[in-house]
Each structure stands twice: as structure tokens, then as C-alpha cells.
Coordinates of all heavy atoms in Angstrom, one line a residue:
G1 N -10.9 -34.4 -26.5 CA -11.5 -33.3 -27.3 C -12.7 -32.6 -26.6 O -13.0 -32.9 -25.5
S2 N -13.3 -31.7 -27.4 CA -14.4 -30.9 -26.8 C -15.6 -30.8 -27.7 O -15.4 -31.0 -29.0 CB -13.9 -29.4 -26.6 OG -12.8 -29.4 -25.7
L3 N -16.7 -30.6 -27.1 CA -18.0 -30.4 -27.9 C -18.8 -29.4 -27.1 O -18.7 -29.3 -25.9 CB -18.8 -31.7 -28.0 CG -18.4 -32.7 -29.1 CD1 -19.2 -34.0 -28.9 CD2 -18.4 -32.2 -30.5
R4 N -19.6 -28.6 -27.8 CA -20.6 -27.7 -27.1 C -22.0 -28.1 -27.6 O -22.3 -28.1 -28.8 CB -20.3 -26.3 -27.4 CG -21.4 -25.3 -26.9 CD -21.0 -23.9 -27.0 NE -20.1 -23.5 -25.9 CZ -19.8 -22.3 -25.5 NH1 -20.4 -21.3 -26.1 NH2 -18.9 -22.1 -24.6
L5 N -22.8 -28.5 -26.7 CA -24.2 -28.9 -26.9 C -25.1 -27.6 -26.7 O -24.8 -26.8 -25.8 CB -24.7 -30.0 -26.0 CG -23.9 -31.3 -26.0 CD1 -24.5 -32.3 -25.1 CD2 -23.7 -31.8 -27.4
S6 N -26.1 -27.5 -27.5 CA -27.1 -26.4 -27.4 C -28.5 -27.0 -27.2 O -28.8 -28.0 -27.7 CB -27.1 -25.6 -28.7 OG -25.8 -25.0 -28.9
C7 N -29.3 -26.2 -26.4 CA -30.7 -26.6 -26.1 C -31.5 -25.3 -26.2 O -31.3 -24.4 -25.4 CB -30.8 -27.2 -24.7 SG -32.4 -27.4 -24.1
T8 N -32.3 -25.3 -27.2 CA -33.1 -24.1 -27.5 C -34.6 -24.3 -27.1 O -35.2 -25.3 -27.5 CB -33.1 -23.7 -28.9 OG1 -31.7 -23.3 -29.3 CG2 -33.9 -22.4 -29.2
L9 N -35.1 -23.4 -26.3 CA -36.5 -23.5 -25.8 C -37.4 -22.6 -26.7 O -37.1 -21.5 -27.0 CB -36.6 -23.0 -24.3 CG -38.0 -23.1 -23.7 CD1 -37.8 -23.4 -22.2 CD2 -38.7 -21.7 -23.8
S10 N -38.6 -23.1 -27.0 CA -39.6 -22.4 -27.7 C -41.0 -22.5 -27.0 O -41.2 -23.4 -26.2 CB -39.8 -22.8 -29.2 OG -40.2 -24.2 -29.2
G11 N -41.9 -21.6 -27.2 CA -43.2 -21.6 -26.6 C -43.3 -20.8 -25.3 O -44.4 -20.6 -24.8
S12 N -42.1 -20.3 -24.8 CA -42.1 -19.5 -23.6 C -40.7 -18.8 -23.6 O -40.0 -18.9 -24.5 CB -42.3 -20.4 -22.4 OG -42.5 -19.5 -21.2
T13 N -40.5 -18.2 -22.5 CA -39.2 -17.5 -22.3 C -38.3 -18.3 -21.4 O -38.7 -18.8 -20.3 CB -39.3 -16.1 -21.7 OG1 -40.1 -16.1 -20.5 CG2 -40.0 -15.2 -22.7
L14 N -37.0 -18.5 -21.8 CA -36.1 -19.4 -21.0 C -35.9 -18.9 -19.6 O -35.6 -19.7 -18.7 CB -34.8 -19.4 -21.8 CG -33.7 -20.3 -21.2 CD1 -34.1 -21.8 -21.2 CD2 -32.4 -20.1 -21.9
D15 N -36.0 -17.6 -19.4 CA -35.5 -17.1 -18.1 C -36.4 -17.4 -16.9 O -36.0 -17.1 -15.8 CB -35.4 -15.5 -18.2 CG -36.7 -14.8 -18.5 OD1 -37.8 -15.5 -18.6 OD2 -36.6 -13.6 -18.7
I16 N -37.5 -18.2 -17.1 CA -38.3 -18.7 -16.0 C -38.1 -20.1 -15.7 O -38.7 -20.7 -14.8 CB -39.8 -18.3 -16.1 CG1 -40.4 -19.1 -17.3 CG2 -40.0 -16.8 -16.3 CD1 -41.9 -19.0 -17.4
Y17 N -37.3 -20.8 -16.5 CA -37.2 -22.3 -16.4 C -35.8 -22.7 -15.9 O -34.8 -22.4 -16.6 CB -37.5 -22.9 -17.8 CG -38.9 -22.9 -18.2 CD1 -39.4 -21.9 -19.0 CD2 -39.8 -23.9 -17.7 CE1 -40.7 -21.9 -19.4 CE2 -41.1 -23.8 -18.1 CZ -41.6 -22.8 -18.9 OH -42.9 -22.8 -19.3
P18 N -35.7 -23.5 -14.9 CA -34.5 -24.2 -14.6 C -34.3 -25.3 -15.6 O -35.2 -25.9 -16.0 CB -34.8 -24.8 -13.2 CG -36.0 -24.2 -12.7 CD -36.8 -23.7 -13.9
I19 N -33.0 -25.4 -16.1 CA -32.7 -26.3 -17.1 C -31.6 -27.3 -16.6 O -30.7 -26.8 -16.0 CB -32.2 -25.6 -18.4 CG1 -33.3 -24.6 -18.9 CG2 -31.8 -26.6 -19.5 CD1 -34.5 -25.3 -19.4
A20 N -31.7 -28.5 -17.1 CA -30.7 -29.5 -16.7 C -30.3 -30.3 -18.0 O -31.1 -30.4 -18.9 CB -31.1 -30.4 -15.6
W21 N -29.1 -30.9 -18.0 CA -28.7 -31.8 -18.9 C -28.6 -33.2 -18.3 O -28.0 -33.3 -17.2 CB -27.3 -31.5 -19.5 CG -27.3 -30.3 -20.5 CD1 -27.1 -29.0 -20.2 CD2 -27.6 -30.4 -21.9 NE1 -27.2 -28.3 -21.4 CE2 -27.5 -29.1 -22.4 CE3 -27.9 -31.5 -22.8 CZ2 -27.7 -28.8 -23.8 CZ3 -28.1 -31.2 -24.1 CH2 -28.0 -29.9 -24.6
F22 N -29.1 -34.2 -18.9 CA -29.0 -35.6 -18.5 C -28.3 -36.4 -19.6 O -28.3 -36.0 -20.8 CB -30.4 -36.2 -18.2 CG -31.1 -35.6 -17.0 CD1 -31.7 -34.4 -17.1 CD2 -31.1 -36.3 -15.8 CE1 -32.4 -33.8 -16.0 CE2 -31.7 -35.7 -14.7 CZ -32.4 -34.5 -14.8
R23 N -27.8 -37.6 -19.3 CA -27.3 -38.5 -20.3 C -27.6 -39.9 -20.0 O -27.9 -40.3 -18.8 CB -25.8 -38.3 -20.4 CG -25.0 -38.7 -19.2 CD -23.5 -38.4 -19.4 NE -22.7 -38.8 -18.2 CZ -21.4 -38.5 -18.1 NH1 -20.8 -37.8 -19.1 NH2 -20.7 -38.9 -17.0
Q24 N -27.7 -40.7 -21.0 CA -28.0 -42.1 -20.8 C -27.2 -42.9 -21.9 O -27.4 -42.8 -23.1 CB -29.5 -42.4 -21.0 CG -29.9 -43.8 -20.7 CD -31.4 -44.0 -20.6 OE1 -32.2 -43.2 -21.1 NE2 -31.8 -45.0 -19.8
A25 N -26.4 -43.8 -21.3 CA -25.6 -44.8 -22.2 C -26.4 -46.1 -22.3 O -27.2 -46.4 -21.4 CB -24.2 -45.0 -21.6
P26 N -26.1 -46.8 -23.3 CA -26.8 -48.1 -23.5 C -26.7 -49.0 -22.3 O -25.6 -49.2 -21.8 CB -26.2 -48.7 -24.7 CG -25.7 -47.6 -25.5 CD -25.3 -46.6 -24.5
G27 N -27.8 -49.6 -21.8 CA -27.8 -50.4 -20.6 C -27.6 -49.8 -19.3 O -27.5 -50.5 -18.3
K28 N -27.6 -48.4 -19.3 CA -27.4 -47.7 -18.0 C -28.6 -46.8 -17.8 O -29.4 -46.5 -18.7 CB -26.1 -46.9 -18.0 CG -24.9 -47.7 -18.1 CD -23.6 -46.8 -18.0 CE -22.3 -47.6 -17.9 NZ -21.2 -46.8 -17.8
E29 N -28.8 -46.4 -16.5 CA -29.8 -45.5 -16.1 C -29.5 -44.1 -16.6 O -28.3 -43.7 -16.7 CB -30.1 -45.5 -14.6 CG -30.6 -46.9 -14.1 CD -30.8 -46.8 -12.6 OE1 -30.4 -45.9 -11.9 OE2 -31.5 -47.8 -12.1
R30 N -30.5 -43.3 -16.8 CA -30.3 -41.9 -17.1 C -29.8 -41.2 -15.9 O -30.4 -41.3 -14.8 CB -31.6 -41.3 -17.6 CG -31.5 -39.9 -18.1 CD -32.8 -39.4 -18.9 NE -33.0 -40.2 -20.0 CZ -33.9 -40.0 -21.0 NH1 -34.6 -38.9 -20.9 NH2 -34.0 -40.8 -22.0
E31 N -28.8 -40.4 -16.1 CA -28.2 -39.7 -14.9 C -28.1 -38.2 -15.2 O -27.9 -37.7 -16.3 CB -26.8 -40.2 -14.6 CG -25.8 -39.9 -15.7 CD -24.3 -40.2 -15.3 OE1 -24.1 -40.3 -14.1 OE2 -23.5 -40.4 -16.2
G32 N -28.3 -37.4 -14.1 CA -28.1 -35.9 -14.2 C -26.7 -35.6 -14.4 O -25.8 -36.1 -13.8
V33 N -26.4 -34.6 -15.3 CA -25.1 -34.1 -15.6 C -24.8 -32.8 -15.0 O -23.8 -32.5 -14.3 CB -24.8 -34.1 -17.1 CG1 -23.4 -33.6 -17.4 CG2 -24.9 -35.6 -17.7
A34 N -25.7 -31.8 -15.3 CA -25.5 -30.4 -14.9 C -26.9 -29.7 -14.9 O -27.8 -30.1 -15.6 CB -24.5 -29.7 -15.8
S35 N -27.0 -28.7 -14.1 CA -28.2 -27.9 -14.1 C -27.9 -26.4 -13.8 O -26.8 -26.1 -13.3 CB -29.2 -28.4 -13.0 OG -28.6 -28.4 -11.7
I36 N -28.8 -25.6 -14.2 CA -28.6 -24.1 -14.0 C -30.0 -23.6 -13.5 O -31.0 -23.8 -14.0 CB -28.1 -23.4 -15.2 CG1 -27.8 -22.0 -15.0 CG2 -29.1 -23.6 -16.4 CD1 -27.0 -21.3 -16.1
S37 N -29.9 -22.7 -12.4 CA -31.1 -22.2 -11.8 C -31.6 -21.0 -12.5 O -30.9 -20.4 -13.4 CB -30.8 -21.9 -10.3 OG -29.9 -20.9 -10.2
V38 N -32.7 -20.5 -12.1 CA -33.4 -19.3 -12.7 C -32.9 -18.0 -12.1 O -32.5 -17.1 -12.9 CB -34.9 -19.4 -12.6 CG1 -35.6 -18.1 -13.1 CG2 -35.4 -20.6 -13.4
R39 N -33.1 -17.8 -10.8 CA -33.0 -16.5 -10.2 C -31.5 -16.0 -10.2 O -31.3 -14.8 -10.4 CB -33.5 -16.6 -8.8 CG -35.0 -16.9 -8.8 CD -35.6 -16.7 -7.4 NE -37.0 -17.0 -7.4 CZ -38.0 -16.1 -7.8 NH1 -37.7 -14.9 -8.2 NH2 -39.3 -16.5 -7.8

């Protein structure tokens, strides 16, 4: 199946921030999943 996750930023404008998604399963280290650059 499929899901779409959303991440909304407040307090500034999103267009100056690199953003990444991480995930962490029980008993495991947090790992990077995906990232998107600014420029």
C-alpha cells in the first residue's frame, strides 16, 4: 500500500530550509530516509 506524510513548517519560510525525513523502529537507530535541498 501507500501513504503520504506531510511536514508543515511555521515560524519562518520553508524555502530557506533543507528538509529531511528520518525513521526509527523499536530497538533500532534512527536512520535518514530522504532529503531535499533548498537552491
Side-chain angles (χ1 to χ4, degrees):
S2 298
L3 286 173
R4 174 169 284 196
L5 307 183
S6 299
C7 172
T8 299
L9 180 145
S10 63
S12 188
T13 54
L14 179 66
D15 61 5
I16 65 171
Y17 288 95
I19 301 293
W21 287 93
F22 293 80
R23 66 186 181 186
Q24 187 167 24
K28 295 186 176 181
E29 296 182 347
R30 188 167 297 190
E31 65 170 341
V33 176
S35 59
I36 185 165
S37 66
V38 173
R39 298 191 180 277

